[in-house]
Amino acid sequence: MKVLGISAHYHDSAAALVIDGVPACAVQEERLSRRKNDAAFPLGAIEWCLDHAGLQPGDLDAVVFYERSMRKFDRILTSALRTFPHSWRSFPHAIKNSLGEKVWVRGIISSQLGVPRSKILFTGHHQSHAAAGFLTAPTSRAAILTADGVGEWATLTVGQGERCPGRGANITLHREIRYPHSLGMLYSTFTAFLGFAVNEDEYKVMGLAAYGRPTMTDAVRKLIRRTPDGAFALDMKYFEYQTTARQSYSPRFVGLFGRPRNPYEPIDLETADGRRYADCAASVQAVLEDTLVDITRELHRETGLPDLCLSGGVALNGVANARILAESGFERVFVPSAPGDAGCALGAALYTDRVFLGNPDRDVPDHPFWGPAVDSRELAQAAREDDQVVEELDDAVLIERIADQLAAGRIVGWMDGASEFGPRALGHRSILAAPHSREMRDRLNRDIKYREEFRPFAPVAPTEAADRYFDLPPGGSRLARFMSGVFPVRPEWRSRLAAITHVDGSARLQTLDRGMAPRLYQLLEAYGRRTGIPVLLNTSFNVAGEPIVNRALEGYSTFRRCGIDVLVAGSTLVTKRASPAHRVKEEVA
Ligand SMILES: [Fe+2]
């Protein structure tokens, strides 16, 4: 049975194909269209999925859209009427959006793909998130928490999933919190207040939080009131997102937290304003964590299960995830590689297969590599035409050579096999570098990523060795599999892992099993033989403002435009001719 899942029209459109119960492929539209956070109907992603599997649209048994458009329309209409006349400005915009695309999704899918309307199904937005979390995790029974900005009405759900051998799976979402009360919107409101892009830069707030102190948690708690049933409610006096698309916080919010930051104003921690912004970030982060810990503790008590599946955009908050693991009572916490709305395409397809259609449950391979494969011949051709040094090497030679280059302080663009599904580079579309010095971090920020210096880089380490360098709680290594948790770097290693240690001593670690990305694993081993530390800095292969590279040509174009010294795709190695002599003497003890 062939089920195509689609997410679209909000942010991060994607398509995913499930064949006989197992994902065949999945990709975000942005990786193909090269428009970051592309929200358009994902025709490119759908076409690629069908091509990859050798299918025509007529071969599909079902096409499923990741949310129920009419319910979303109902929410937009009801919210607008409730807040009228304050909402009169946002209403035409919201209605145009909904009428234009969201509500008529069945017609769009039917006409774009040429599939009969009877084959087009809809899952609930949070059902899709829940399925993306639970049905991709190696567990047969688990509690489920989904949390995001908003889907149709729900913004947070708790429930339980159970695989039923031979007959699909059950996913029951017992309770939900509804719009406008939303942890995601609370966090996004601070994202906007702090001058960052909503739905995109929430992780910058988390990064900035490490520089601040949670001195304003009392003020944040005025915005979010805990209710006797263990849920929460926002005090809407402090928000405006429910009435206008132009501004998410109200004058009262500004009264509590001071002047909002202009996006073009640098954050200078030497100034009172700079420290206030960092303290705001630390305070909302602390309240978000406390709230999630309380909710998951209760969920653990209620279900008595050892496993928790977390999904939705809020599950991208690795600091909160680590606290949930440490404090909720759950022994294992699973976060999929794509917990946000893109992942809903895969979640919707799996939900349809297991729950709607009741097809036999199947194990989903435990890796994130569902996208297009890199073509090393394409790289070789482009680089030769551009008069660069191109070599074709056996793996054993290539890996030793790259380890030498990394140990010599060179920066490596690393493309290998199928691209990751989700926002993080997990070893197939990565920029790799030595993790030891601050100079390397600054060089990457300056010459490659062109980004704010308060943002840390992430490390990757073999699962077996990670505990030596990072303070992992039980279950931490699982949470770090898709880089979903932030953990302390052990104090004795911080000075030797300075490029990946955040100001508060933490790191967003990826633990790597040999089987998940064998070539990167071998590279870590080879690097460890040279330096004594089998840890590398691993950041996504893109420059600021661009999606992660997909094809070899995009990798090559990025390599030519920034300070990457060496580029690898499969067995092809390209060394930059005009490479400036960036040689950083690494202090590796
Ligand atoms: Fe969502």
Side-chain angles (χ1 to χ4, degrees):
M1 189 157 283
K2 302 167 189 72
V3 182
L4 178 74
I6 297 172
S7 64
H9 299 154
Y10 189 41
H11 46 84
D12 295 336
S13 295
L17 188 60
V18 168
I19 299 179
D20 296 333
V22 179
C25 50
V27 66
Q28 270 175 253
E29 186 71 3
E30 65 159 29
R31 305 292 162 90
L32 303 168
S33 71
R34 310 307 300 159
R35 280 191 292 273
K36 198 162 188 324
N37 301 115
D38 196 343
F41 187 77
L43 258 188
I46 293 168
E47 274 175 15
W48 176 78
C49 284
L50 293 175
D51 272 1
H52 179 77
L55 299 178
Q56 298 295 320
D59 299 327
L60 295 168
D61 296 288
V63 179
V64 55
F65 193 68
Y66 80 126
E67 62 182 15
R68 297 182 197 278
S69 314
M70 282 311 284
R71 276 199 205 156
K72 190 165 200 166
F73 181 64
D74 173 53
R75 189 251 302 162
I76 291 167
L77 188 61
T78 310
S79 307
L81 291 177
R82 266 188 205 152
T83 52
F84 190 84
H86 304 290
S87 59
W88 65 273
R89 277 198 192 87
S90 69
F91 186 67
H93 176 72
I95 289 295
K96 182 167 161 276
N97 250 344
S98 289
L99 288 178
E101 286 179 326
K102 290 177 182 134
V103 175
W104 311 121
V105 165
R106 195 187 295 269
I108 292 172
I109 294 174
S110 175
S111 63
Q112 295 275 10
L113 299 192
V115 294
R117 293 169 75 95
S118 60
K119 282 191 180 177
I120 298 165
L121 307 172
F122 294 84
T123 46
H125 187 105
H126 281 255
Q127 286 173 333
S128 304
H129 276 314
F134 174 61
L135 293 174
T136 60
T139 173
S140 53
R141 240 176 129 210
I144 295 172
L145 169 69
T146 66
D148 65 1
V150 62
E152 296 96 357
W153 275 104
T155 66
L156 182 146
T157 71
V158 291
Q160 197 167 321
E162 188 169 6
R163 294 164 184 272
C164 315
R167 53 174 186 87
N170 292 325
I171 291 178
T172 313
L173 300 178
H174 302 301
R175 290 191 301 282
E176 66 180 31
I177 294 172
R178 291 186 150 214
Y179 184 87
H181 308 290
S182 162
L183 282 180
M185 296 301 280
L186 171 71
Y187 209 81
S188 294
T189 299
F190 276 91
T191 305
F193 175 78
L194 293 170
F196 301 121
V198 168
N199 286 333
E200 204 178 320
D201 286 348
E202 277 70 11
Y203 64 102
K204 293 186 185 176
V205 178
M206 194 184 83
L208 182 61
Y211 286 89
R213 290 170 305 139
T215 53
M216 289 183 267
T217 49
D218 286 348
V220 178
R221 287 186 206 287
K222 286 189 174 154
L223 314 183
I224 176 168
R225 179 173 49 83
R226 305 305 305 278
T227 54
D229 59 354
F232 60 83
L234 300 188
D235 185 337
M236 299 316 296
K237 289 197 300 287
Y238 295 100
F239 301 92
E240 288 198 344
Y241 59 75
Q242 70 282 17
T243 56
T244 169
R246 285 179 302 116
Q247 177 114 317
S248 50
Y249 48 86
S250 74
R252 274 178 200 252
F253 185 103
V254 176
L256 273 182
F257 297 101
R259 183 178 64 80
R261 175 180 162 253
N262 180 320
Y264 301 103
E265 171 191 345
I267 296 178
D268 180 354
L269 294 163
E270 303 297 313
T271 66
D273 270 346
R275 286 192 296 274
R276 177 170 59 87
Y277 298 139
D279 289 351
C280 276
S283 302
V284 69
Q285 175 68 27
V287 171
L288 174 85
E289 290 168 22
D290 291 348
T291 310
L292 286 169
V293 165
D294 285 352
I295 290 172
T296 48
R297 250 190 215 144
E298 176 59 22
L299 185 59
H300 180 253
R301 200 192 54 72
E302 204 178 296
T303 60
L305 293 170
D307 289 346
L308 170 67
C309 294
L310 276 181
S311 199
V314 173
L316 285 163
N317 195 306
V319 178
N321 294 346
R323 269 198 65 194
I324 289 170
L325 175 66
E327 298 178 37
S328 66
F330 286 105
E331 290 166 26
R332 299 194 297 177
V333 174
F334 298 99
V335 179
S337 68
D341 283 1
C344 284
L346 181 57
L350 288 169
Y351 192 95
T352 300
D353 185 77
R354 304 288 200 283
V355 183
F356 284 163
L357 304 175
N359 287 323
D361 186 54
R362 300 272 309 273
D363 284 342
V364 169
D366 194 10
H367 66 71
F369 306 121
W370 300 112
V374 73
D375 181 352
S376 60
R377 289 164 308 179
E378 189 180 81
L379 171 63
Q381 189 184 344
R384 284 202 178 98
E385 284 171 6
D386 197 24
D387 199 27
Q388 296 290 318
V389 182
V390 181
E391 295 170 90
E392 297 293 333
L393 299 172
D394 287 343
D395 246 21
V397 177
L398 182 134
I399 282 162
E400 296 299 326
R401 180 86 73 84
I402 296 298
D404 282 339
Q405 300 271 359
L406 288 163
R410 293 188 169 254
I411 296 173
V412 174
W414 178 262
M415 299 185 283
D416 187 21
S419 64
E420 295 88 346
F421 185 49
R424 283 167 187 154
L426 297 167
H428 278 196
R429 297 292 186 279
S430 291
I431 294 172
L432 304 174
H436 313 295
S437 68
R438 282 205 183 83
E439 288 75 19
M440 179 58 82
R441 181 198 64 194
D442 295 344
R443 192 176 133 205
L444 279 162
N445 273 327
R446 186 187 65 235
D447 296 348
I448 296 180
K449 304 294 270 195
Y450 315 125
R451 64 184 204 172
E452 303 89 342
E453 64 179 32
F454 60 82
R455 294 189 33 214
F457 288 102
V460 56
T463 304
E464 299 79 3
D467 205 37
R468 183 165 182 226
Y469 308 100
F470 304 94
D471 188 2
L472 294 176
S477 152
R478 171 68 225 189
L479 188 56
R481 186 177 177 88
F482 299 149
M483 225 186 245
S484 304
V486 172
F487 300 103
V489 180
R490 289 194 184 278
E492 62 272 30
W493 291 101
R494 286 178 191 169
S495 62
R496 281 173 287 181
L497 292 171
I500 55 88
T501 302
H502 200 17
V503 64
D504 61 355
S506 69
R508 199 179 67 196
L509 169 69
Q510 179 192 359
T511 50
L512 188 68
D513 282 353
R514 187 185 293 277
M516 196 171 104
R519 296 176 80 235
L520 178 57
Y521 192 94
Q522 286 168 40
L523 182 58
L524 287 168
E525 288 181 317
Y527 185 76
R529 285 196 295 275
R530 281 157 180 77
T531 63
I533 304 177
V535 178
L536 284 170
L537 180 156
N538 169 23
T539 185
S540 56
F541 195 161
N542 63 331
V543 294
E546 293 185 7
I548 297 176
V549 302
N550 178 39
R551 297 173 55 192
L553 268 184
E554 290 140 17
Y556 186 69
S557 152
T558 306
F559 162 77
R560 289 293 279 138
R561 283 181 289 136
C562 70
I564 298 174
D565 301 303
V566 178
L567 180 61
V568 178
S571 58
T572 303
L573 173 85
V574 180
T575 307
K576 198 177 273 173
R577 258 192 211 288
S579 176
H582 287 304
R583 283 189 179 261
V584 177
K585 288 198 180 80
E586 303 291 347
E587 290 293 326
V588 183

